Amino acid sequence: MKLFNGMNVLNGELSISGVRVGDLKKKYRTPLYIYDENLLEKQCRIFINNFKSSKFKTEILYASKAFSCLEVLRIASREGLGVDVVSLGEIYTAIKSGFDMSKAYFHGNNKTLEELAYAIEVGVGTIVLDNDYEYEIINEIAKKNNKIIDVILRINTGIDAHTHEYIKTAKDDSKFGYSVYDDTIFDLIDDINRQSHLNFLGFHSHIGSQIFEESSFFEAVKVVMEFSKKVQDKLNIVIKVLNFGGGFGVYYTDADKPFELAEFLQRFIKVIEEESENFDLNLNKVIIEPGRSLVCNAGSTLYTVGGVKKTFAGREYVFVDGGMADNPRYALYKAEYEAAIVNKMDKEKDTVYTIAGKCCESGDMLVMDVKLPKVESGDLLLISSTGAYNYSMSSNYNRLPKLPVVFVKNGSSRLVVKGETVEDLLRNDI
Ligand SMILES: *Cc1c(COP(=O)(O)O)cnc(C)c1O
């Protein structure tokens, strides 16, 4: 298992930011989500410090669907980020965290009337329109509230980012956004721009997630800018804001080769500056929206090993006290992870195991074929890089209570989300 910033081994035992992982089991419980707060802050700062331009304003939004809770949003806000929200629940969480809602962007391909009304009432700064169903509704709500709402339109560039089928978002038949190759888009933009209570600012494009090829991002910039230029010329509308989404790839296993983030961001800005000159755009603001790359590597999940079982066919299973309810990503995407036995970090890794959860599904796997030292019941197993799309995708399948979340920093730990109890599971049962 790759040791990220803040992870250390002392006397064969793993610690994160000066906290012995074994102590976290004693103090809290397993399974448990653990985040290294220093690493969260570091990632925020890499984005803020490297995605800067003298030609236009820049803004980093935290795509909060990756991991939304009050404390992580407080950190994002404190570090100077804005926030990307996609539901009433995410808006509500952001408000309760104290987020300046003028720095919130409301996304989604099917925002409900209730969500839109709420977003406008609480002052969400910008609404990202996905389709022609939305703009008239928003205009009506804005009229009623006597407000003028900033909007940008999500466009689909048709760029094939080389990533998993389910996390590509810009193919020509994607459910997200409006294709730039569909000529009716000009009428749509013209209509949006005519609405009395909408302030049309520009475009948003997000080509997918867990992307490692810089060229995909650069290509998207070009397509978006070329299109922006066309719109300016054809409709006489000034494009002021462009949002290029997130999707920056991260390390899960040594099969992933992410680019060095700080350097990439500097190259990215340069491409954006150059292309905006090529296409004669006079941009006011350029935005990106990382989710995974801000939080993924800062998070790990700690489990206690129960049974260790060899099947008739020869596969050796390690069973842990969580599974697809706290991390559905193997079941969804066959996502890969690294793992380690926290209390045996110095021991030779001589056995190949499959780590399986406790849920009643054959697909309830966490890691296939990982080399570990000889595993015994009671060992503590840590899966790294679970900071994104784990807590936020977790469920109560099999009536498993959701896990607590603990932040560690410089030798101390604190609970930021309580674990659910079985009583919590009955909270809404009648
Ligand atoms: C999910 C999403 C993001 C963040 O994607 P990551 O791969 O987590 O960086 C950004 N923008 C939009 C619109 C998204 O849907």
Side-chain angles (χ1 to χ4, degrees):
M1 187 182 84
K2 177 180 160 100
L3 296 183
F4 291 95
N5 257 19
M7 286 184 174
N8 274 299
V9 175
L10 197 70
N11 302 325
E13 239 195 279
L14 181 70
S15 67
I16 304 177
S17 199
V19 177
R20 285 167 53 190
V21 174
D23 289 348
L24 293 173
K25 148 129 190 176
K26 288 178 211 137
K27 188 162 176 189
Y28 306 97
R29 70 185 201 200
T30 61
L32 177 71
Y33 297 117
I34 304 164
Y35 283 82
D36 180 344
E37 196 172 336
N38 284 328
L39 195 45
L40 287 175
E41 289 170 350
K42 183 178 167 222
Q43 292 305 101
C44 292
R45 289 170 197 170
I46 289 176
F47 275 101
I48 293 278
N49 294 334
N50 292 285
F51 195 74
K52 281 199 300 205
S53 170
S54 55
K55 300 203 159 63
F56 39 74
K57 281 185 271 181
T58 55
E59 195 168 14
I60 312 293
L61 311 180
Y62 171 43
S64 68
K65 71 178 193 277
F67 168 47
S68 174
C69 73
L70 295 177
E71 191 58 20
V72 76
L73 290 178
R74 288 184 197 117
I75 290 173
S77 169
R78 196 166 69 219
E79 294 295 331
L81 280 71
V83 67
D84 152 355
V85 287
V86 297
S87 69
L88 198 140
E90 285 186 5
I91 295 172
Y92 184 69
T93 310
I95 290 173
K96 291 291 171 181
S97 77
F99 226 101
D100 170 2
M101 293 314 280
S102 71
K103 292 171 82 173
Y105 288 68
F106 187 21
H107 283 276
N109 69 302
N110 193 22
K111 309 166 192 76
T112 66
L113 263 178
E114 184 195 14
E115 286 173 325
L116 287 168
Y118 184 67
I120 289 168
E121 184 194 319
V122 300
V124 165
T126 308
I127 294 183
V128 185
L129 302 173
D130 182 89
N131 54 65
D132 48 9
Y133 166 76
E134 281 183 339
Y135 72 90
E136 290 178 41
I137 297 172
I138 298 171
N139 192 54
E140 285 310 307
I141 302 172
K143 240 188 229 170
K144 258 186 230 152
N145 283 267
N146 204 18
K147 285 187 179 170
I148 306 254
I149 305 296
D150 286 346
V151 296
I152 59 179
L153 175 68
R154 180 163 183 169
I155 52 175
N156 182 344
T157 53
I159 283 172
D160 190 359
H162 300 276
T163 185
H164 190 284
E165 207 53 35
Y166 290 0
I167 49 181
K168 285 179 187 175
T169 56
K171 290 182 304 173
D172 287 340
D173 63 350
S174 167
K175 75 168 182 171
F176 296 108
Y178 212 94
S179 174
V180 296
Y181 303 106
D182 182 339
D183 277 340
T184 62
I185 194 170
F186 295 101
D187 291 336
L188 174 67
I189 295 165
D190 205 28
D191 285 346
I192 294 169
N193 194 50
R194 278 172 206 282
Q195 304 299 314
S196 56
H197 286 66
L198 301 187
N199 181 27
F200 176 71
L201 294 173
F203 299 112
H204 168 268
S205 148
H206 171 74
I207 55 174
S209 199
Q210 189 60 353
I211 295 163
F212 294 109
E213 283 176 44
E214 297 191 354
S215 58
S216 299
F217 295 107
F218 299 166
E219 212 182 313
V221 166
K222 203 169 165 193
V223 175
V224 169
M225 294 214 179
E226 192 171 8
F227 177 70
S228 299
K229 166 85 173 137
K230 237 193 227 171
V231 168
Q232 292 201 157
D233 292 349
K234 212 166 168 153
L235 300 174
N236 200 22
I237 294 172
V238 179
I239 301 301
K240 300 190 191 87
V241 174
L242 291 178
N243 178 334
F244 292 106
F248 316 113
V250 305
Y251 181 102
Y252 285 93
T253 72
D254 60 12
D256 301 319
K257 308 269 182 273
F259 31 70
E260 211 278 314
L261 191 56
E263 291 168 14
F264 162 72
L265 291 168
Q266 290 170 21
R267 285 193 290 273
F268 196 19
I269 270 287
K270 223 163 153 229
V271 169
I272 296 169
E273 286 174 346
E274 282 166 9
E275 295 291 357
S276 67
E277 238 161 72
N278 287 348
F279 290 106
D280 202 19
L281 300 175
N282 197 355
L283 297 170
N284 183 323
K285 184 156 69 177
V286 172
I287 303 165
I288 51 173
E289 302 168 324
R292 192 190 307 274
S293 50
L294 276 170
V295 295
C296 181
N297 296 145
S300 312
T301 312
L302 182 66
Y303 302 96
T304 303
V305 174
V308 181
K309 172 168 154 185
K310 192 165 187 167
T311 63
F312 184 57
R315 189 176 282 281
E316 289 215 53
Y317 280 108
V318 168
F319 295 154
V320 294
D321 52 354
M324 64 187 289
D326 60 78
N327 181 0
R329 293 189 68 258
Y330 178 81
L332 264 176
Y333 317 116
K334 292 213 167 7
E336 294 185 2
Y337 287 96
E338 293 182 341
I341 301 298
V342 166
N343 48 308
K344 295 179 177 172
M345 297 299 288
D346 284 351
K347 296 253 163 68
E348 198 192 335
K349 299 174 190 67
D350 52 8
T351 314
V352 175
Y353 290 105
T354 293
I355 302 167
K358 65 190 261 88
C359 295
C360 302
E361 281 286 327
S362 293
D364 175 28
M365 300 294 164
L366 292 171
V367 192
M368 302 299 286
D369 301 326
V370 58
K371 267 194 160 171
L372 295 172
K374 183 123 200 80
V375 179
E376 294 155 295
S377 305
D379 280 346
L380 289 180
L381 185 142
L382 185 107
I383 297 184
S384 56
S385 299
T386 60
Y389 306 107
N390 272 232
Y391 171 81
S392 61
M393 283 186 164
S394 64
S395 76
N396 290 119
Y397 182 50
N398 286 167
R399 287 245 143 175
L400 296 178
K402 289 197 184 160
L403 321 190
V405 181
V406 164
F407 279 15
V408 295
K409 184 175 186 173
N410 307 338
S412 60
S413 67
R414 64 196 173 104
L415 192 62
V416 305
V417 181
K418 286 190 257 178
E420 283 181 341
T421 63
V422 283
E423 291 79 38
D424 289 331
L425 297 175
L426 297 186
R427 198 171 43 213
N428 298 320
D429 285 23
I430 293 165

